[in-house]
Structures are given as structure tokens and as C-alpha cells.
Amino acid sequence: MENLKAVTQAMGNLDEAKLMNIINDFVSKNPAKGEVLEVIKACQDGMAIVGKLYEEDEYFVSDLVFSGELMTEAINILKPFIGDTSMVKVGSIVLGTVHGDMHDIGKNIFKSMVEAAGFKVYDLGIDQPASAFVEKVKEVKPDIVGLSGVLTLALESMKDTVAEIKEAGLRGNVKIIIGGNPVTKEACERIGADAFTTSAAEGVRICQKWIKV
Amino acid sequence: MNVHRVQQERKQLFEAVYNGIIPRRVPIMANLPIEFCIQYAGLPLAETQWTLDGIEDALDKACKIVGSDYYPFGFMRFPAPLQILGSRGFVMGSNGFIQHPEVTGMEVDEYDDFIKNPYDCILEKILPRLYPELDADPVTRSLIFAKAFKAHYDYQEFFMKIEAKMVQKYGFYTAPKGSLAAVTVPFDFLADFLRGFKGISMDVRRCPQKILEACEAVLPLQIKKGMPKRPSKYGQTFIPLHMGPYLRTSDFEKLYWPTFSKMVQIFSDAGQPCRLFCEHDWMRYLDYLQELPENTRLHFEYGDPKLVKEKLGKKHIISGFYPLTYLKTATKQQCIDKAKELIDVLAPGGKYVFAFDKSPVSLDSVDINNYIAVLEYIVQNTEYASAGELAPAVDKTVDKPAVTKEIPIFKSKYCRTWEEYKKGRPAIIAGLEHVIASKMQNYEDMLFDMISRLM
């Protein structure tokens, strides 16, 4: 496909009409798997631009939410041409909002951005007990565990969750990142996580660094 | 402690600030959520919110540490009516805190219906989605609502009685009766319960014109909700601002600001000031906030206190900025130093009320000793040498007051005035009309207020 740059640019500009035009036009020609994977990569590059513009205060959280939707829309059109299995994953993350907290907007933004960066995400949902994280880590053996929360009380729940992962003997197998409004460096140290962030884009970069993408 | 004298002093502190006069010292508005107090008293959180057993003692215990000049307890969400209605928008989490998960009460293709008459659309379509027990046949729905109404006012009455006792016992300042209200700005109303954070983010890109029209359409309803029975310059309409910082400035200006500013101006013109809780970071919008009517109360969560004081400190009344998480992680001395640092920036020239950036939602979010130490420090160390003088005011030649547009009229077949009710009901005993009118209107208002609390 010649238009890979245009795909990246349309995604970066959050220009839905243009992006969907190019992609619909592309799939109408019954593309080969290799070509489709290139287009997906171009979309992912566009998402990286979105993340960069967010960090430069050009885009804001609402734009990140929209970009996640655009990415999902694009992947849904492209997926039938490649099948699920051929999407190579760079790493895997067990993600959830910790117990006591029912907020999921931040978690979902991070999920869509980190998926766009090629990670496999196991999303446990909101208000998840520490045991749910432990069980999932045992089951899927992820590279990373992501704990999300908005309320200040989520910090205590994050602490419990990390403690239980440690108690289950799994702490050495995973990196742990905490994210959300109340997290700080001090909180991160107290909780015993490896990293913290209040920005989904930065969170993605941290995960990439851990996996050395 | 002479409670009456304490109360008079506190009243003077707030009234001075609200009148643009330098108070004797910095007044304190430190809110303690009911959930915090229940935990502080060692009571089971979820169960106590249902039974209310021991709550009065719990609040009394909290009063002994709070050190707030203003009545410190906000409202809590009442679990019984929420359960009766099957609430999806307010749900108790596993730890007993009632929260607001992401919900969608209205689909994108329903904007036109909403714009035609927001309140009708809310009652007919949106409430039964957010409260699925109402999604029933008319008879069942009426019965469910009757139960919820009774439960709601049982809780409300319970807390009002406690408030009266605590004010009497501890001498807190409270606003004049009938001068408090709370409401959200039209854009936030659409985002919070109708379209959800995700939905509104899509709509901002895909159908901004519909958002704009919906905000204009819902403005009369929000004004009705936010206008108290007896507006007062010592009262306030509390407006928690939500979505602004999550939008691009251009989207904020086009979609959020017009009905927001109009609403605050309309309250102000009626003699009712607003207290805005500026959630997250509002530093991009200081020039907009500067345009709001004089003496708007602005409570900041994050940002640069110095910049805010410089830009807004002469026109508006500033609060907030003190990072609550500090009370958990820093030493007592560091906490006091932080208070001093903020006081040095924000207190000069008056027009400042001390408040933390947010309320301590749970007991473990703060170290109580630090909390007490900071508030004691404020009480003992913030006296003004220039008390009683006029606070420096804005230069009126520079300040251009906004012009209030004509107040839009709220209309819905589900909320009638006495005159509307009376039509077609000639059998009302003539001599009793004023008595009946007042009773009937009161129940109509109670129902409207309860529904307002549901979203």
C-alpha cells in the first residue's frame, strides 16, 4: 500500500473520515496479510503521534479516548484479513482497577494505547480484589501488571494487591506499574510498584522500555 | 467554649470575605465526608450507611477534630433509594463507598429528542435506563418511585436534624436557610449521566453542534436546579466542574464555556454566588474564569497558586491547592510548612478561604494528626494586620461584566406550577387556595429536588 504515511497522519490528526476512507478503500481490494499488517503498523505509528501530542498539551484526555475508538474501528475492519493469531504481541499485561474503586476511564485509555503499541492486555475490569490479579498472573504469566485507580483510597488497595502478588511468590516474575490521579513517587515507593504514571502515554513508554520494544 | 461567640466570629470571617473585606484571620472550609466519619468512629462503612446506627455519634466525634469554621459535612448518597431504583450510575463498591461508574443514559441518535424537551426525555427514557427498576409498567413504576421518594426524604430529614444539632453544639458557620444549592454545568451534565466520558469524547469530534444545542436546551433545567429558594450573597450554588481540563481549549471554548458562563452569570444576577470546584488542572482557563462575575468562589485542585492569585485574586475568592496526599506522606512539620507556603501566597489581600485540594474520602487517605496540626496552624497563625479594611478590588474600568441573556424558562409537563395544576380543577375551595397552593407546590418541589439528586 502506498498510502501508509497518510494512514499514520490521519490517525495522528484524529481525522476519522479520512482514515476510514483510506482503510475502506484498501480492504475493498482484498489485500494480502502482509499489506494489512503494514497498515496496522501505520495506525500504531499514528497512535504514537497521538501520545506525543498529548504529552505536548496539543491533545487532552478526551482526544485519547477518541483515538482509542478510532484504533478499534480500524482494527475491526482490518482483522478479518489477517485472523487473530497473526498479530504478533510484543508483551502482555494484566490490567485492572483495584478493589474499592469503580473508575475505568483512565484504565481504558491506557488499555487502548498500550494495545495499539502491540501489547496483549488481559483486562480484569473495575473493583477487582487482589486475588483476581494473583489468579490471572498465575494463569497467563504476563510481563507486566497494571493497577489503576482514581480515588485516594485506591492507593491502599494497590498496596494490598502488590503485597498479595509478592506473597504468592509472583513478584519477581512481573513488573508492576500503577496509574491514576492519586499516584505519586512517594505512593509508588510505599506500594512497592516498579513505576507510576498519571499519563497513559507515559505508561505505554514505560512498558515499552521494560519489554525493550 | 462559648459556642455562640465562636459562631458569631466564624460568621464574621465568612461574611467579611464574601463582602470583599479583610477578615480577622483566614477562614477554614474543611469538608469531611460522612464515609470518613463512619470509618473514623470505627463503624462498618457499608452497613452503617444503610442502618444509620451510630452516625450521630460518629459525626460528633469528627467535629472534635475537624477545626473547620464552615459546617464540614457534605451530603452522602443514600443507599436505600438507590437500591429501590436499581441505580447503575451510583453503585456501592466492594469497600462500601458509593461511586459513579461510567454509564450511558442516552444514545447518540437521541440528541434531537433530548433537545426538544430535556426533562421530558430524562423522565421518559433516561431515568429508566440509569435506574432500571423504573423500566416497568406504569403501576409498578409509580410504586417503586413512591418507595424511593419516602426513603430519600427519610435519609434527608435524618441528616438535617443532625446538622442542626452539630451547628448548635460546635458553632459552625452555615449559609442562610434556603440559600444552598448544587448543580452541574450543562456540558458536564451531558457527559456524566447521558453520554458518559467515552460517548461525549466521540460526540465532541463527531457531532459538536448537537452538544451545543443540547447544552442550550438543558440550561433552563440546570438553572432551576441550581437556583435556591432564597438566593443570598452569603449562600452558594456549588458547581463541581468536571470535563473542562480533559478537552482541547478550542473545544472548551466552543462547547463548554458558553452555557457554563451564562449559568454562573444568571445565578449572580439573582444575587446568588457560585462556588466552583475546579477539578484537575484549570490553569489553561484562568482567562475564562477571570470573566466570571465578581466574587465567584473558586476551589482549585491543582495548579499554580501564585499565578491564580495574580490573575484572579482581586476579583474572585480563592480556595484549595493544599495537596491532601501530603497529609499522608509528609511529616507534621512538612505539612505545616506547606500550609504556610500556601498562606503566604494566597492570603495577602484577603479573598481567600483555606481548603484542601479535595476531601479525604477515606480514613486511610490522611494522617489525622497532620490534618489536625494543619488546621490548628491556620487558626493560630493567619491573623490579618489589616482586618476590617476593604480587600483590593478589580479595576472596574478593565473588568467588563458579562451581560446576562434573557433567563430561559424551564418547561415540562412533568413539573407543573400551581397555576398549571389549577387549570381544569375548579373544585378548589376558594378561601383555602393559598394554603393548598403552598402545600402542592412544596410536594412538586420535593419531587423535583429528589429527581435532581439522581443525576
Side-chain angles (χ1 to χ4, degrees):
Chain A
M1 188 201 189
E2 291 167 8
N3 258 349
L4 290 175
K5 263 192 185 158
V7 169
T8 301
Q9 202 167 34
M11 177 61 90
N13 291 341
L14 299 179
D15 187 339
E16 184 177 26
K18 194 166 179 188
L19 182 68
M20 291 307 139
N21 267 343
I22 302 175
I23 290 182
N24 282 322
D25 187 45
F26 170 66
V27 295
S28 72
K29 291 167 190 152
N30 201 18
K33 201 161 102 178
E35 283 180 294
V36 177
L37 289 173
E38 279 182 358
V39 173
I40 290 176
K41 172 76 174 55
C43 289
Q44 290 173 335
D45 292 345
M47 284 293 276
I49 294 176
V50 171
K52 188 168 164 286
L53 290 173
Y54 172 74
E55 298 207 309
E56 290 169 1
D57 283 347
E58 287 287 322
Y59 284 160
F60 293 87
V61 172
S62 166
D63 307 299
L64 296 186
V65 174
F66 185 70
S67 72
E69 182 68 12
L70 270 193
M71 189 69 194
T72 307
E73 224 180 316
I75 295 289
N76 285 345
I77 299 172
L78 295 166
K79 220 188 222 165
F81 296 87
I82 48 165
D84 250 353
T85 46
S86 44
M87 296 277 284
V88 182
K89 296 296 174 190
V90 298
S92 60
I93 302 179
V94 166
L95 179 68
T97 305
V98 292
H99 65 89
D101 198 322
M102 307 183 84
H103 294 82
D104 62 359
I105 292 157
K107 171 180 72 63
N108 292 345
I109 293 170
F110 174 72
K111 180 186 173 187
S112 65
M113 292 185 74
V114 85
E115 275 180 342
F119 282 81
K120 169 78 185 163
V121 176
Y122 299 92
D123 184 357
L124 299 176
I126 56 173
D127 197 0
Q128 288 298 309
S131 59
F133 286 91
V134 169
E135 288 312 310
K136 201 68 187 175
V137 169
K138 277 185 190 161
E139 182 197 329
V140 303
K141 299 181 177 54
D143 304 296
I144 297 164
V145 174
L147 307 178
S148 174
V150 166
L151 304 173
T152 45
L153 59 87
L155 297 177
E156 286 308 305
S157 303
M158 287 174 180
K159 194 161 170 259
D160 297 345
T161 308
V162 173
E164 281 206 29
I165 290 173
K166 203 171 169 186
E167 211 166 288
L170 302 165
R171 183 66 184 89
N173 309 343
V174 291
K175 289 281 193 184
I176 298 179
I177 181 165
I178 55 171
N181 189 40
V183 304
T184 58
K185 186 165 169 284
E186 293 76 24
C188 181
E189 282 164 10
R190 214 165 51 80
I191 288 162
D194 297 301
F196 75 98
T197 184
T198 53
S199 149
E202 186 189 52
V204 172
R205 271 209 315 276
I206 293 168
C207 293
Q208 285 174 323
K209 210 169 99 191
W210 282 340
I211 303 295
K212 296 193 178 67
V213 177
Chain B
M1 175 170 86
N2 181 333
V3 176
H4 181 70
R5 210 184 69 210
V6 169
Q7 194 164 36
Q8 283 307 309
E9 280 176 10
R10 286 172 164 165
K11 187 167 181 256
Q12 282 165 12
L13 294 177
F14 281 98
E15 291 189 354
V17 172
Y18 296 158
N19 283 319
I21 291 167
I22 309 272
R24 186 178 63 74
R25 67 160 165 87
V26 170
I28 300 171
M29 199 183 253
N31 187 37
L32 279 183
I34 308 285
E35 292 92 330
F36 177 98
C37 304
I38 293 172
Q39 288 187 315
Y40 184 61
L43 299 171
L45 180 58
E47 191 182 322
T48 307
Q49 287 176 84
W50 272 93
T51 62
L52 301 175
D53 289 344
I55 288 232
E56 186 172 334
D57 287 343
L59 297 193
D60 192 274
K61 198 173 172 203
C63 283
K64 294 188 168 74
I65 59 158
V66 68
S68 179
D69 296 310
Y70 198 90
Y71 182 68
F73 307 120
F75 70 97
M76 73 170 212
R77 302 272 172 208
F78 306 146
L82 294 176
Q83 180 75 35
I84 292 166
L85 296 167
S87 173
R88 288 173 55 231
F90 295 111
V91 180
M92 191 180 275
S94 59
N95 52 0
F97 285 92
I98 295 177
Q99 297 164 51
H100 169 42
E102 168 92 335
V103 283
T104 307
M106 183 181 94
E107 298 304 323
V108 68
D109 58 6
E110 292 175 316
Y111 265 107
D112 288 336
D113 198 15
F114 180 80
I115 290 162
K116 210 163 82 191
N117 191 315
Y119 199 60
D120 290 3
C121 180
I122 287 167
L123 288 193
E124 289 164 5
K125 289 188 174 173
I126 297 167
L127 268 191
R129 288 177 192 155
L130 298 175
Y131 296 91
E133 293 289 344
L134 295 174
D135 190 11
D137 63 88
V139 175
T140 306
R141 185 190 290 197
S142 322
L143 296 177
I144 297 273
F145 215 94
K147 268 194 279 185
F149 182 84
K150 171 76 171 101
H152 174 84
Y153 279 102
D154 281 349
Y155 275 88
Q156 183 131 310
E157 197 182 327
F158 176 85
F159 280 106
M160 281 170 72
K161 277 185 188 157
I162 293 185
E163 176 173 341
K165 279 190 200 172
M166 297 300 152
V167 167
Q168 184 87 14
K169 186 170 174 187
Y170 293 97
F172 296 116
Y173 173 68
T174 49
K177 203 165 177 269
S179 68
L180 291 175
V183 71
T184 51
V185 301
F187 187 100
D188 287 335
F189 182 70
L190 285 183
D192 288 347
F193 288 95
L194 272 55
R195 299 290 298 130
F197 199 115
K198 185 176 167 188
I200 202 83
S201 297
M202 302 300 122
D203 301 347
V204 164
R205 295 275 178 172
R206 290 176 179 162
C207 51
Q209 188 57 31
K210 291 287 176 209
I211 295 181
L212 208 51
E213 288 171 30
C215 284
E216 288 290 346
V218 83
L219 182 60
L221 172 62
Q222 298 306 85
I223 289 169
K224 181 173 166 61
K225 284 184 199 170
M227 190 74 83
K229 282 201 174 67
R230 285 179 280 279
S232 159
K233 67 174 170 176
Y234 304 125
Q236 64 188 17
T237 293
F238 176 58
I239 307 180
L241 301 172
H242 182 212
M243 289 296 295
Y246 308 116
L247 301 174
R248 288 181 298 178
T249 307
S250 55
D251 292 327
F252 172 86
E253 180 171 310
K254 193 167 66 189
L255 305 174
Y256 193 101
W257 173 248
T259 38
F260 164 29
S261 56
K262 217 187 275 184
M263 194 167 105
V264 174
Q265 186 67 49
I266 286 167
F267 290 135
S268 171
D269 290 349
Q272 176 74 1
C274 290
R275 184 162 80 88
L276 310 179
F277 176 63
C278 303
E279 181 190 311
H280 201 55
D281 187 347
W282 277 73
M283 294 307 104
R284 273 190 288 146
Y285 301 131
L286 296 186
D287 289 338
Y288 293 90
L289 297 177
Q290 166 68 18
E291 287 179 33
L292 293 174
E294 196 174 358
N295 282 332
T296 296
R297 300 162 197 172
L298 303 171
H299 184 157
F300 289 93
E301 191 177 8
Y302 296 109
D304 179 353
K306 197 161 176 284
L307 184 66
V308 167
K309 186 69 180 176
E310 273 167 24
K311 283 205 158 192
L312 307 175
K314 284 185 184 168
K315 184 166 185 184
H316 300 312
I317 295 162
I318 312 295
S319 283
F321 288 118
Y322 191 106
L324 197 76
T325 49
Y326 219 70
L327 298 177
K328 176 82 180 180
T329 55
T331 64
K332 195 171 172 181
Q333 191 54 48
Q334 285 170 327
C335 289
I336 289 171
D337 291 346
K338 185 77 190 167
K340 186 175 181 320
E341 178 191 317
L342 278 171
I343 295 286
D344 286 347
V345 172
L346 293 167
K351 293 208 165 196
Y352 170 59
V353 174
F354 178 85
F356 295 105
D357 59 347
K358 47 185 155 292
S359 306
V361 61
S362 65
L363 184 57
D364 52 22
S365 55
V366 295
D367 178 324
I368 291 288
N369 291 324
N370 290 344
Y371 179 85
I372 295 170
V374 166
L375 296 184
E376 275 179 2
Y377 175 84
I378 308 287
V379 171
Q380 289 162 12
N381 295 280
T382 61
E383 293 217 350
Y384 284 96
S386 53
E389 291 175 14
L390 276 179
V394 278
D395 181 352
K396 300 282 183 193
T397 55
V398 179
D399 181 45
K400 292 182 207 147
V403 180
T404 307
K405 303 279 193 303
E406 195 180 313
I407 300 177
I409 296 165
F410 170 78
K411 274 218 164 301
S412 167
K413 61 184 170 190
Y414 300 118
C415 186
R416 287 174 298 183
T417 61
W418 167 251
E419 292 305 323
E420 285 164 337
Y421 173 83
K422 210 172 61 172
K423 272 182 211 161
R425 288 181 178 81
I428 289 163
I429 303 166
L432 283 182
E433 186 175 331
H434 68 289
V435 180
I436 297 171
S438 144
K439 277 274 178 202
M440 296 296 284
Q441 193 62 56
N442 187 41
Y443 285 117
E444 190 77 53
D445 292 346
M446 283 171 78
L447 192 60
F448 180 85
D449 288 346
M450 183 214 164
I451 292 170
S452 299
R453 289 280 293 271
L454 295 178
M455 32 188 317

